[in-house]
Amino acid sequence: LVSHKVKWMSLIAAVMVVFIHVPQITGPGLSAGIEHFISQGICRVAVPFFFAVSGYMLARHMDEKGWWKRAVRKRVKSILIPYFLWCLISTIVRIALGAAMVVSANLLHHECLLRNMSSVLISPIDAFGLSLFRGVASNTALWYLRELMIFVLVSPLIFLLIKKSREVTIVLLLIFWGLGGVLNILYSVESEYFFFFDRWLSFSGLFYFAVGAYLWQQPLHVGKFQALACLVCGLFVMLFLSVLVSCGVDVGGCGVFMRNVAIPLVLIGLWYCTPGKCPPALFSGLSFPIFLIHCIVLSVTLTPVHVFHPAFPRTLFGYFLCAASVVIVSAFLAVLIRRSGRMSLLFGGR
């Protein structure tokens, strides 16, 4: 039952990640509020779910002899190798798109080709996301894999603390997450501090990873009524924030705090509303490929579109059309890659 729910939720969460990365509708108004409710509200449960389910699945083996070495070897194939491969692919695509834009500008505006071409080059450190204090567009979404690998490496310490102190460890991690959130509000989102603690040592990711391990040892028993109440309360908070955004109110750090409070409630509700039946084989295997491919599809499709329509998407129709198209194209490419049978490493052998 749990594995079936995980497959359904993983697919839903992968689609949610796509909606997060679709360009936002700017300015106040109903369309901006609805987009905010989707991409900055309910879809924000996706990454916490991925961290929590990863901690849960790994914790199932922590009492087995030699579990950590086996886990690291397995994650090198399923996480680390895909991470570097897709970083490389993303970098090649980004350089190619940048070069095409430079050539177009040279032809249209007679600009210096060699001078502008140097601006699209990317250093290996940036290409593979190895810088501790800055990130690049080619590394969008893939930071999750890098961070998850770090959590796997330090998982013996995390699991030991959970075994010894359980709730105390979770509360301490929650406090650290809260303190990190306060500091992130005080600092600019472009600061080196923000990037390091949001993309390399994310307290929120560590918290949900540890919660997943804790739930393996101490399952959470929630009835249908309580789960529905959690879902309604969480969605109400997100809806309230979206209404403020539609009215042109800058919710700022307070909004981030309220959303982070609502995310666990929505997760609990969605988990208990998710079907317990096994999804079709085609769908159950698409979550990870969609997660990996979608940013490249977005870059390839939106770069030329933004040349003629810089503010795209302007409407909800454009927003949903863009997200749906990216999901469908990513799924189609995933099926093609799998059927080739020669590039299984791209998806970590999944």
Side-chain angles (χ1 to χ4, degrees):
L1 179 63
V2 171
S3 63
H4 295 164
K5 281 180 172 286
V6 167
K7 289 178 181 178
W8 275 114
M9 279 290 291
S10 296
L11 180 60
I12 295 171
V15 174
M16 286 179 171
V17 172
V18 175
F19 275 91
I20 292 174
H21 291 140
V22 170
Q24 300 178 13
I25 301 174
T26 57
L30 180 61
S31 296
I34 295 175
E35 180 274 328
H36 184 275
F37 176 72
I38 297 172
S39 63
Q40 302 303 316
I42 189 171
C43 287
R44 286 292 172 173
V45 308
V47 174
F49 166 77
F50 283 135
F51 277 124
V53 78
S54 298
Y56 181 90
M57 293 300 183
L58 187 59
R60 296 185 304 170
H61 307 287
M62 64 178 162
D63 292 325
E64 301 172 4
K65 186 177 180 180
W67 69 270
W68 184 73
K69 291 183 178 179
R70 289 195 301 272
V72 171
R73 283 196 297 266
K74 181 179 179 181
R75 268 65 179 188
V76 165
K77 179 182 178 181
S78 64
I79 296 177
L80 199 59
I81 292 178
Y83 170 75
F84 282 109
L85 288 176
W86 285 100
C87 278
L88 178 61
I89 295 171
S90 299
T91 300
I92 293 173
V93 170
R94 185 183 179 209
I95 292 175
L97 290 173
M101 297 296 291
V102 168
V103 171
S104 300
N106 178 72
L107 294 175
L108 294 174
H109 306 292
H110 306 289
E111 297 180 1
C112 178
L113 180 62
L114 292 178
R115 183 185 62 199
N116 292 337
M117 192 65 75
S118 62
S119 65
V120 304
L121 299 179
I122 303 172
S123 72
I125 291 179
D126 285 339
F128 294 102
L130 301 179
S131 173
L132 293 177
F133 300 109
R134 71 179 187 273
V136 293
S138 62
N139 208 29
T140 302
L142 295 176
W143 67 269
Y144 162 77
L145 298 181
R146 179 189 61 208
E147 190 160 335
L148 182 57
M149 192 66 204
I150 294 173
F151 292 163
V152 171
L153 293 175
V154 300
S155 58
L157 176 60
I158 299 172
F159 294 167
L160 178 63
L161 292 173
I162 291 175
K163 272 187 174 182
K164 296 296 183 181
S165 54
R166 296 202 176 187
E167 291 83 0
V168 175
T169 299
I170 300 300
V171 171
L172 287 176
L173 288 175
L174 183 61
I175 292 174
F176 281 124
W177 178 18
L179 291 176
V182 171
L183 292 176
N184 283 343
I185 292 172
L186 296 177
Y187 285 81
S188 168
V189 293
E190 288 84 14
S191 70
E192 294 181 347
Y193 170 86
F194 181 87
F195 180 79
F196 180 78
F197 284 99
D198 193 60
R199 289 294 184 268
W200 269 96
L201 189 61
S202 169
F203 287 133
S204 62
L206 185 59
F207 169 76
Y208 281 108
F209 183 83
V211 166
Y214 171 81
L215 289 176
W216 167 250
Q217 290 192 323
Q218 193 72 32
L220 181 65
H221 300 288
V222 179
K224 290 183 179 180
F225 177 78
Q226 291 94 332
L228 183 61
C230 289
L231 181 61
V232 171
C233 291
L235 292 178
F236 177 80
V237 172
M238 293 177 177
L239 181 62
F240 173 72
L241 293 174
S242 300
V243 170
L244 293 180
V245 169
S246 68
C247 295
V249 177
D250 182 10
V251 293
C254 182
V256 173
F257 173 78
M258 293 177 66
R259 185 184 68 197
N260 287 337
V261 171
I263 284 175
L265 299 177
V266 175
L267 267 178
I268 293 172
L270 287 179
W271 175 258
Y272 282 90
C273 293
T274 302
K277 297 180 180 180
C278 183
L282 177 63
F283 293 155
S284 64
L286 287 178
S287 56
F288 193 53
I290 289 175
F291 177 85
L292 292 171
I293 298 174
H294 80 276
C295 279
I296 295 178
V297 176
L298 263 175
S299 298
V300 172
T301 54
L302 288 184
T303 299
V305 170
H306 282 164
V307 173
F308 302 100
H309 301 283
F312 180 84
R314 296 175 182 269
T315 63
L316 278 178
F317 175 77
Y319 171 74
F320 284 112
L321 177 63
C322 183
S325 301
V326 170
V327 171
I328 293 172
V329 172
S330 299
F332 178 73
L333 291 175
V335 172
L336 288 182
I337 292 172
R338 276 190 171 152
R339 287 185 176 178
S340 68
R342 299 178 181 178
M343 295 180 282
S344 61
L345 282 178
L346 287 175
F347 301 141
R350 305 185 193 191

